[in-house]
Amino acid sequence: MKIAIGADHAGYRLKDEIVPVLKAMGHEIIDVGCDCSDSVDYPDYALPVCDKVVGGEAERGILICGTGIGMSIAANKTHGIRCALVHDMFSAKATREHNDTNVLAMGERVIGPGLAAEIVKIWLETPFTGGERHQNRINKVMALETK
């Protein structure tokens, strides 16, 4: 799977921990930055990741900032993105099974690299369960983009 990943200054260290995990799982990585602690704006990294997912250049995206909140808000402004802010393994699984999320947001200041790696693995390996019930809800959410 090809995965786009991006982080701001408050999330780049966790990004640097996650990239080797993704590569070890056999995934191809598109890293849009950032790679330093100099203050940057999270939307400048969320948008390129989301554009790659929506445009088909990447199958999924991962975004990391201090809390994950800013990245998830920015990502969900992009037409076609379903981004979930996740800080536990149960939610990582549920958001794939029920919501078919295509972008994952996490917060470096909230979770450590070990838990983040487990969340990423579960999120990438869990399929969407499908079914009319879940798909109907996703369709309703996606229809909000046309309002």
Side-chain angles (χ1 to χ4, degrees):
M1 188 181 309
K2 193 178 282 191
I3 300 164
I5 189 167
D8 70 0
H9 61 281
Y12 84 95
R13 288 173 296 276
L14 185 57
K15 176 179 67 77
D16 290 347
E17 296 274 346
I18 295 301
V19 167
V21 172
L22 296 169
K23 288 181 179 177
M25 293 175 70
H27 299 295
E28 185 178 338
I29 308 307
I30 304 169
D31 187 341
V32 304
C34 97
D35 295 312
C36 66
S37 60
D38 298 338
S39 183
V40 298
D41 298 329
Y42 57 83
D44 296 339
Y45 297 90
L47 183 60
V49 166
C50 292
D51 285 347
K52 290 182 185 318
V53 172
V54 171
E57 192 177 335
E59 294 168 70
R60 304 252 187 101
I62 298 174
L63 298 168
I64 306 168
C65 64
T67 62
I69 296 168
M71 285 290 202
S72 65
I73 291 170
N76 281 312
K77 297 292 184 184
T78 304
H79 185 81
I81 293 297
R82 288 178 311 284
C83 177
L85 173 58
V86 174
H87 291 133
D88 65 86
M89 293 183 289
F90 175 80
S91 297
K93 184 174 182 177
T95 194
R96 283 290 310 135
E97 287 180 338
H98 298 180
N99 309 114
D100 196 20
T101 52
N102 51 11
V103 176
L104 171 69
M106 297 184 291
E108 180 179 308
R109 294 174 180 160
V110 180
I111 57 173
L115 179 55
E118 289 302 313
I119 288 168
V120 166
K121 289 176 188 175
I122 290 167
W123 185 74
L124 289 172
E125 294 172 351
T126 302
F128 175 51
T129 57
E132 186 177 339
R133 178 178 68 147
H134 295 303
Q135 189 60 57
N136 186 47
R137 293 171 183 163
I138 291 170
N139 292 344
K140 287 180 177 184
V141 169
M142 299 309 287
L144 295 172
E145 293 178 352
T146 61
K147 289 188 172 198

